[in-house]
Amino acid sequence: QFLYFIAMRLVLLFLCIAGALATMRQNVKFGPLDPNVTDPADFWMPLWNNVPQDYCTTPRYPVVPTPGPIAMDVLHQLIPNGTVPNASAKPTNNWQKNLWGFGWDEFPVGDQWGAIYPYPYVVSPKSGAVIVMYPGMPIDLNEDRAMIQGIVYPDPVPNGNPAIHNASYPYMTMAGSFDMVLQIRNGMNPIIRNMSDLGATIDYRDAHHGNRTVATLYLVKGSPFINVECFDAELALGMDGIAPPIISVDNLPPGQIVHGTAFNLTSAQGPQHLEATTWHAFFSQTVALNYASPPNGPINLTAPYTGLVQIAVGELNDVEAGFLFNARGNYARDAAVEYDVNSTNAVVRFRFDHVGDGELKMLSIPHQTKLLNESGHTLARTAYWCVKGNMSAVSGTVWNMTYNLTSVGFGDKAHIDPKMREGLLRAAKVDYDLRIERCPADDDTPGYPGYMNVELYAYVRDLASYTDIAIALEALGERAMAQNLTKKMLSCMAPVLRRPKKAPEPCPLPINNTVQCVRDMMDVYFDLQWGGLVTGWYDRFAPHWCQCDLPGGPGACIGHNYCDNLHGWDAFSNYGNAFYNDHHLQYGYIVRSLAWALYFQEHKGVDLNMTKPEVHNVTKQALAFARDIANPNATSDKFFTNMRHKDVYDGHSWAEGYDYSGRIVTWLNQQSGGEAVNSYYAVYLLGLALNDTNVEDWGRINAATESYSINMYQHLSNQTADKIDQPTEIIDQWGKCLPILFGNGASGATYYGPNPIFQCGITFLPVTPFSHDWMEPAWAKEAYDWIQWHNQRLGECVFFDPRTMSKNPCPGQYGTNWTGNEWGCCPTNDGFPDNQWRAWPDWYPTLYMLLATYNREQAWDFLQYRNISQPTEHLPLPYVNSAGKVVGYHRTLTMTTAFFYVATGASGAPTPAPHGHFHRH
């Protein structure tokens, strides 16, 4: 009885603990990641970031013609200019940034869009006008449509080169063709009143009457209406030269005054854009429209109007007319985002600021539709489409979306398959020996350290492999090696963490070669204008892209060719980091490595020779990088903008900073979905290392939302019901990976070639312990089979194998004299311009990461080297060449990381996915 009593007490204790762990904390308010809100200038040189907003007007190579600088005066109306933190940090990557892409008086003609895309409409708020386009779904390749799509095929192969079969990539984008305009003729002086995660509010003011607000435009993502509250506003529908004329009102003949509160408007779209032919205008008060004859000009309201006006499209054949009529009179002014969290799940809640007496109807995109269905919400599929796919109508003012949260940790406690332990240890020792005496890129330029040879991104990405190998070694019980390699990582990280000695400066003239301009590429500064950590904007490699080829030196080329850049200015130094491109993709590697060092010493008691002051400094600097990319509260931490990259509605991030900001049509993009996931996983690990639940949970939530959306929008499937025909049928049938998401489209290419392994690899690299949680085995199998099919047809790239050089030389002039890349692909775009379409052999281990997700035993077999200096049947290149340099793996992966992923994964084939199709007719 006593033992039974004790057993029951233990069971009750266990249940109590489990219940406590599962208790959901409601409406969690996330505070600053750094409770002390440490000034980044304590560690890095502060300076006013003088990267010009109009840098695109400076000729450079490649030339990106743009009409002029972004409209900073528009942004400063919302966030006054000044020195951070006295002035608030400014947003750089958010989906609303095109609001200040152009001035209010620059109307969307040609490339001057200045538009944002709060699905399903593209909206360009301008002086006296709300200009609207409904892109709809691309259903053909006709370039007169608002939404266009197609497939790009390779050029003909030069004679004597291997044939290329079925290599292609899809694209989807928009043409600049607006459909409808609501004129607010006495609202010629707009101003941004507010921006939030999900919305933007613009006041239209009458400059002739004390800037009195005459109308307020509420833009909230997912609204089926364009919603405008009016206060004696002088309104008209349509605008000459901007949108097609309205040729019918309620099917009545022109030349009359039409009274009412609800009107059907027919736009002269022509046959190519039928989805945007029928529009609806709803007014909360009776109005009179002057429907003139002939109907080729704007339709004016006969009197100033006070009340609500809602504009919406009825879609093809006006099939949504009933939905719109029933939903009219209700709208969202804005929405708050709330979070409930426990140990295993988070509820992300959208709480819409509903106005109206009826039920609010909003529209969800595919990943939300899936989550909301699982949460029991009432949804109905609609005919509306946006760039993310088909949209569903959601009833109610609150959306609850439940995500699974990871608890995987660093991986140092992961279970290793005993059968694979010995092979993993061998690989780890090889990788340890390759790194313990050097930092990344050391001697790439002979005699220079790595931090002078590569940009920060490549350096910290490669340095993160030291962390990965150390974690694997710790999991293997090889603590001394893990300790030594972590120390080496910290030593190599020092150039990133130290204070620069001077501000960025250009290369000296004359610019003759890159070596004379070698400089520290790791210098980090705190930008007092925008609020963020940035790297320098003068690049040691800039002269390489900008040498003058005319007699008389650099000045002789001004006005004659692309070399007008005399001072080594490189707009895309470190991938445009100085204007906030890719911060999360880059800084995630830094945060994850520093988090590991803090955890290893402070939690596990491993001496890394960090003193207490050094631990304090590393902590604050790791937090600063985390704050740059994932600040949850810009009100309490004014040094950094709120969640720089994250699009809370879409679930994923945007990589592009303020560089274009409306200057070209493709105003947002993100390629490296896997690195975006890694960035928030790193924030979670930092919270784990610091025992800080605020940081840990914020990282877990954003890692969950990012990975869920990457799975939905970059990982394609024609076997999974909720992904079929998403984003469109033609793209879904083309392949398995969509590497680039644009704000107004997508592309199946990558920035370095449309190779099938690239196309998929970029969506899930780097491989980490978290990859086990978020990589879907069913999709991985589809992707693996698709890539294998391509590679069997395309073959590997033409590469220099020293054993067979005479039989398989590189094309063109390189067939006899090129020896610079032993066991590597031959140079592209010279002699064999389509080389990039083929499979690069050093990416084959990445392919086997997909295989390992559902068949790790076979992946393990394929990854094995009998001799790391010789290739195998499944690995076309050896691991190292004769100089001991790794050539068999791309730098985004190491042999240890690959083996560790396989050895710590679960076995089993993927579960077959249900089938189902939705085709539009």
Side-chain angles (χ1 to χ4, degrees), residues 10-23:
L10 289 173
V11 168
L12 288 172
L13 179 61
F14 173 80
L15 291 174
C16 289
I17 293 173
L21 289 173
T23 299

Short mmCIF file of all heavy atoms in Angstrom, two decimals, residues 10-23:
data_model
loop_
_atom_site.label_atom_id
_atom_site.label_comp_id
_atom_site.label_asym_id
_atom_site.label_seq_id
_atom_site.Cartn_x
_atom_site.Cartn_y
_atom_site.Cartn_z
N LEU A 10 3.54 10.18 -7.23
CA LEU A 10 4.43 10.51 -8.36
C LEU A 10 3.63 10.76 -9.63
O LEU A 10 3.95 11.67 -10.41
CB LEU A 10 5.43 9.37 -8.57
CG LEU A 10 6.51 9.22 -7.50
CD1 LEU A 10 7.34 7.95 -7.74
CD2 LEU A 10 7.42 10.45 -7.47
N VAL A 11 2.58 9.93 -9.83
CA VAL A 11 1.74 10.14 -11.01
C VAL A 11 1.07 11.51 -10.95
O VAL A 11 1.04 12.26 -11.94
CB VAL A 11 0.69 9.02 -11.13
CG1 VAL A 11 -0.36 9.39 -12.18
CG2 VAL A 11 1.37 7.71 -11.49
N LEU A 12 0.54 11.85 -9.78
CA LEU A 12 -0.11 13.15 -9.63
C LEU A 12 0.87 14.30 -9.83
O LEU A 12 0.55 15.32 -10.43
CB LEU A 12 -0.77 13.25 -8.25
CG LEU A 12 -2.02 12.38 -8.04
CD1 LEU A 12 -2.45 12.43 -6.57
CD2 LEU A 12 -3.15 12.87 -8.94
N LEU A 13 2.09 14.12 -9.30
CA LEU A 13 3.11 15.14 -9.46
C LEU A 13 3.45 15.33 -10.94
O LEU A 13 3.56 16.45 -11.44
CB LEU A 13 4.37 14.76 -8.68
CG LEU A 13 5.56 15.73 -8.79
CD1 LEU A 13 5.16 17.11 -8.24
CD2 LEU A 13 6.76 15.18 -8.02
N PHE A 14 3.57 14.18 -11.63
CA PHE A 14 3.87 14.24 -13.06
C PHE A 14 2.75 14.96 -13.82
O PHE A 14 3.00 15.80 -14.68
CB PHE A 14 4.06 12.83 -13.61
CG PHE A 14 4.21 12.79 -15.11
CD1 PHE A 14 5.42 13.08 -15.70
CD2 PHE A 14 3.11 12.49 -15.91
CE1 PHE A 14 5.55 13.06 -17.09
CE2 PHE A 14 3.23 12.45 -17.29
CZ PHE A 14 4.45 12.74 -17.88
N LEU A 15 1.51 14.63 -13.47
CA LEU A 15 0.39 15.26 -14.14
C LEU A 15 0.34 16.76 -13.87
O LEU A 15 0.02 17.56 -14.75
CB LEU A 15 -0.92 14.60 -13.72
CG LEU A 15 -1.13 13.16 -14.20
CD1 LEU A 15 -2.40 12.59 -13.59
CD2 LEU A 15 -1.21 13.11 -15.74
N CYS A 16 0.67 17.13 -12.64
CA CYS A 16 0.68 18.56 -12.29
C CYS A 16 1.76 19.29 -13.08
O CYS A 16 1.54 20.40 -13.59
CB CYS A 16 0.92 18.73 -10.79
SG CYS A 16 -0.48 18.24 -9.77
N ILE A 17 2.94 18.66 -13.16
CA ILE A 17 4.03 19.28 -13.92
C ILE A 17 3.63 19.40 -15.39
O ILE A 17 3.82 20.44 -16.03
CB ILE A 17 5.33 18.47 -13.77
CG1 ILE A 17 5.82 18.56 -12.32
CG2 ILE A 17 6.39 18.96 -14.74
CD1 ILE A 17 7.01 17.64 -12.03
N ALA A 18 3.07 18.32 -15.94
CA ALA A 18 2.65 18.34 -17.34
C ALA A 18 1.60 19.41 -17.58
O ALA A 18 1.62 20.12 -18.58
CB ALA A 18 2.14 16.96 -17.76
N GLY A 19 0.66 19.52 -16.63
CA GLY A 19 -0.37 20.54 -16.79
C GLY A 19 0.20 21.94 -16.74
O GLY A 19 -0.22 22.82 -17.49
N ALA A 20 1.17 22.12 -15.83
CA ALA A 20 1.79 23.44 -15.74
C ALA A 20 2.53 23.78 -17.02
O ALA A 20 2.48 24.91 -17.52
CB ALA A 20 2.75 23.48 -14.55
N LEU A 21 3.24 22.77 -17.57
CA LEU A 21 3.97 23.00 -18.80
C LEU A 21 3.03 23.34 -19.95
O LEU A 21 3.35 24.11 -20.84
CB LEU A 21 4.83 21.78 -19.16
CG LEU A 21 6.04 21.52 -18.27
CD1 LEU A 21 6.67 20.18 -18.65
CD2 LEU A 21 7.06 22.65 -18.38
N ALA A 22 1.86 22.71 -19.93
CA ALA A 22 0.93 22.91 -21.03
C ALA A 22 0.05 24.14 -20.85
O ALA A 22 -0.71 24.49 -21.74
CB ALA A 22 0.05 21.68 -21.19
N THR A 23 0.10 24.80 -19.68
CA THR A 23 -0.73 25.97 -19.43
C THR A 23 -0.41 27.07 -20.44
O THR A 23 0.75 27.45 -20.61
CB THR A 23 -0.50 26.50 -18.01
OG1 THR A 23 -0.87 25.48 -17.07
CG2 THR A 23 -1.35 27.74 -17.76
#
